[in-house]
Each structure stands twice: as C-alpha cells, then as structure tokens.
Amino acid sequence: LPGAVATPVRSPDPQNSFPDTDTRYWKKIATFNTQGQVNTLSLSSIRLQQVADIIPPLVQHVMTLDLANTNLPVADIAKILSCIDSAQGPLQHLRLGGNCLVLDDLQTIFLVESPSFLSRVSSLDLRYNNLGPQGAEFLATWLMTRDQPCCKILYLEGTQLG
C-alpha cells in the first residue's frame, strides 16, 4: 500500500518483489470489481504499521477484508471498520484471526464503534485470539441481541474459550 510501513513475515522473493505502485503488487493483495473498486483486500500475515489513514478509501466497497495476523492496534482496526460502516459497504467476510485480540478489544470493535455493517457479515473469523471465556460470553450476548441475524459462520478455534 503506498505510504504504509510493513514488515513482511515471509522471506522476500526477488522474482515477486514489486514497488507498491506496480499493479503486479496489487494482484497479490486485492481483487477488483468491474468498476475498479477493491472487492477483496487480503493483508493477512503482513505486519502493518501506520496504515489506518491509508486503507479506509480502499475498503468502502470491499466484500472480503482479511486483516488476520497483521498485529494492527485495535484502534486502527476499529478505524478501518468504521469506514466500511459509514460507506454502507457490502462486507460479507471479515477475518481478524491471530491479532492477539482480548475481551476489551472485542468491546471496542463491536460496541464502541457500533458497526452496523456487522449485521451483513456472513462469516467472522476470530481464530487464534485471546478471547477466553469472557470473550465467548460477550460474543454470545452480542449475537443474541442483534436486531437482524448475522454471522452465519463464526470461527473461534484457538481462542482459549475454556
């Protein structure tokens, strides 16, 4: 992403290393709809920093957002997700696994930001976070109190539910 600071988890492959302005780079992290808008944004396993101001314009029309294993601060995740909410985007799949999220982080993402787009999300991936039994209780309560059904698929493996 132009202007973002990232530390790759994988070792660099000289044959597949491109400047961030090269379209070949974008093919590795995004798919586009026929209007040229980002349809899928996969930043999984890229340790991101200073990205919360760069991503929001990209996610307004995204259907799949993969922020798994990015180690983004919860405030940045919430900021990115609030841009989807304000755009009334069609987000269907949200992947937040492996980001060391805890109960307070879930409360920030699900309550403080109050994202209405979550009612349209059909799959929510929270695998390999540190949710614990209190996080599971929070999620159950949150899901049962929704006006509309959401999250047909919920991934919770490795979340230390107890």
Side-chain angles (χ1 to χ4, degrees), residues 18-88:
F18 311 110
D20 58 5
T21 54
D22 191 315
T23 56
R24 292 174 294 174
Y25 172 80
W26 284 97
K27 289 179 183 177
K28 293 190 162 292
I29 64 170
T31 62
F32 300 87
N33 62 22
T34 55
Q35 290 81 33
Q37 301 159 331
V38 176
N39 193 33
T40 300
L41 184 59
S42 180
L43 301 175
S44 180
S45 299
I46 302 173
R47 303 294 188 219
L48 299 170
Q49 303 168 8
Q50 302 173 0
V51 74
D53 294 326
I54 297 166
I55 292 180
L58 301 175
V59 298
Q60 292 179 354
H61 303 282
V62 74
M63 293 179 71
T64 299
L65 179 59
D66 189 349
L67 297 176
N69 300 303
T70 56
N71 286 350
L72 278 172
V74 71
D76 288 354
I77 291 172
K79 183 174 183 178
I80 292 165
L81 296 179
S82 70
C83 293
I84 296 170
D85 191 34
S86 64
Q88 295 297 309

Side-chain angles (χ1 to χ4, degrees), residues 103-123:
L103 175 60
D104 290 345
D105 299 334
L106 287 182
Q107 291 171 331
T108 298
I109 293 169
F110 290 86
L111 295 178
V112 175
E113 294 299 321
S114 188
S116 63
F117 74 84
L118 280 171
S119 64
R120 298 186 303 276
V121 170
S122 61
S123 71

